[in-house]
Structures are given as structure tokens and as C-alpha cells.
Amino acid sequence: MEKIPPEIFLEICIHLYVKDLYTLTLVCKLYRKILWTKAVSIQKVWTCSRVLSFDPILPYPSLPPSKFMSEQEYIWFTLLADKCSICKIKIEKKDLFGCRYWEFSRFCCKECIERKTVSISYIKMTMPNLPKELLECLPYHKRDEKLYWSDDLHSIKAKYYSFENKHERDNWVKEKKEEVNEFMDEIYKYKWQDQYVYFFPYAFNV
């Protein structure tokens, strides 16, 4: 790397497909440090790589990253992840879209999503005194009923009860609600993008 000017290195990276660019981050710590930063110039490198990697018939993901994700995270989540983030089991290509949970920013197999989430009915049964407003501070996945990530629920519950000052707690709740509402609105278009590709007959043949 010492012999390659930075601008030449980045120019080379721009012309790599995402899998090759990701492989490059594994070559050495220096490459990883450079290519995993959130600097504007590096984000552009990953954007170019993502566009270069588009399938000509079914360009995916065509949307730019969510404001809650960097290009690197977005590319990994949509194009490179093929193992459950919890149990690390390999997921078949035909099941990939069903394992991408935008609400939790996690890629999970069916077994782990069942194990790591709790339903609204379960919460009401096991935590009857849980403040209703607390659930409004958490993103959820809607299936037959709302599902919440269990660890996130316990974490935010602990934070909620850590406030001694009611005014501070109320302000925190208000901010979290606004943050979650913005997040849920934001990810809707990405879920729609996935659904579009999932129902496209060509999707599983590429």
C-alpha cells in the first residue's frame, strides 16, 4: 500500500465488484481500516461498486442506503449476507429475502427469529405492568402480531427505569418515539424493494 498513491488505490477499488471489494478488506488491517471508514470518498467507492454489481435485468439494491446505514452495511445486508447473524447457519438463496429483518437490522433464520423475538401478546402476559409507551420506543416486525427483539426490549426497559427525574424520562421517551417512527417510515421502502425482487420470477435464477 505504501507504494500505491491513495488516489490510485481508490480508483482501482471503484472498478471492483462488491464481493471483490469486500474480499480486499480481508487482505490486511490497513485495507480494512481504509475501506470500512464512513468518509465521503469511501462511501462513493462502495456506491460505485454496488452499481457496477447490478444485474442488468434485475438491478438490486437500486435504492440508496437508508440514513441509518452506511454503504458498507447496506451492501453487506442486501448482497453479501448469507448466514444467520445469530447461529451462523448458511441460508439457501431462495430463503434470503425472508431472513432479512429491516426492523431489527439483522439477518436471521426462522428458528433464531422465533427464539430472539417476543410477541405483543407474550409481553402483555409476562410483563403486565410494562408502560405502554415503552413499546412505542422500539421498532417491530409485523406478522400475525407485532414482534419485538427481546434483547432490545430488556435494554430499553432498563434505560427507562434508570431515570430518576420524570421530566428527563419523558423527554427521552419522546425522542425515542420520534426516532422509531422515522426509522419505521424509512425502512418501508426497503421492505417494498425486497418484496418486488422476491416476486420477480427471475430473482432466484441469477
Side-chain angles (χ1 to χ4, degrees):
M1 178 64 185
E2 290 79 3
K3 298 180 179 179
I4 306 177
E7 61 273 14
I8 300 300
F9 175 71
L10 294 183
E11 182 64 27
I12 293 171
C13 291
I14 283 175
H15 298 286
L16 296 177
Y17 291 103
V18 290
K19 288 186 178 180
D20 298 325
L21 190 56
Y22 176 73
T23 299
L24 189 59
T25 69
L26 304 177
V27 171
C28 66
K29 291 182 178 179
L30 180 58
Y31 287 0
R32 182 174 181 84
K33 181 179 180 180
I34 293 172
L35 292 172
W36 275 100
T37 65
K38 295 184 179 181
V40 174
S41 59
I42 303 302
Q43 294 300 296
K44 288 182 178 178
V45 167
W46 285 93
T47 300
C48 290
S49 181
R50 173 169 59 85
V51 173
L52 180 67
S53 302
F54 279 169
D55 183 272
I57 297 178
L58 189 64
Y60 174 86
S62 57
L63 291 174
S66 157
K67 63 179 291 185
F68 298 97
M69 277 186 173
S70 65
E71 268 285 358
Q72 297 96 319
E73 293 167 332
Y74 184 53
I75 288 171
W76 175 260
F77 198 56
T78 56
L79 295 175
L80 300 178
D82 61 358
K83 294 180 181 178
C84 174
S85 60
I86 306 300
C87 68
K88 310 304 180 184
I89 189 173
K90 180 85 171 180
I91 296 173
E92 293 185 26
K93 187 173 183 178
K94 65 181 180 65
D95 297 324
L96 291 178
F97 288 100
C99 295
R100 190 177 294 126
Y101 294 90
W102 288 95
E103 301 88 347
F104 309 132
S105 300
R106 290 178 171 94
F107 198 78
C108 294
C109 66
K110 293 179 180 179
E111 289 75 16
C112 285
I113 201 68
E114 292 292 339
R115 184 166 53 87
K116 298 294 289 185
T117 59
V118 288
S119 66
I120 184 67
S121 57
Y122 177 83
I123 293 172
K124 289 180 179 179
M125 180 178 65
T126 59
M127 302 181 222
N129 297 323
L130 187 75
K132 182 180 179 181
E133 64 180 1
L134 196 54
L135 292 180
E136 298 175 14
C137 298
L138 284 170
Y140 59 87
H141 175 70
K142 186 69 178 292
R143 201 155 56 187
D144 295 329
E145 57 180 334
K146 292 181 179 179
L147 296 178
Y148 298 86
W149 196 261
S150 181
D151 291 344
D152 291 348
L153 174 60
H154 291 297
S155 176
I156 207 167
K157 179 183 176 184
K159 178 67 175 179
Y160 181 86
Y161 286 113
S162 70
F163 288 98
E164 296 181 0
N165 184 292
K166 184 179 183 301
H167 179 68
E168 290 182 358
R169 185 186 66 198
D170 290 345
N171 284 338
W172 174 80
V173 168
K174 180 181 178 181
E175 290 177 2
K176 291 299 293 183
K177 284 182 179 180
E178 292 175 352
E179 179 184 312
V180 167
N181 287 336
E182 182 183 11
F183 177 71
M184 294 296 288
D185 288 342
E186 176 78 3
I187 65 172
Y188 175 79
K189 58 187 177 184
Y190 296 95
K191 290 168 64 68
W192 185 91
Q193 177 180 239
D194 279 1
Q195 290 173 3
Y196 174 81
V197 175
Y198 179 81
F199 288 109
F200 195 93
Y202 178 74
F204 301 126
N205 296 321
V206 296

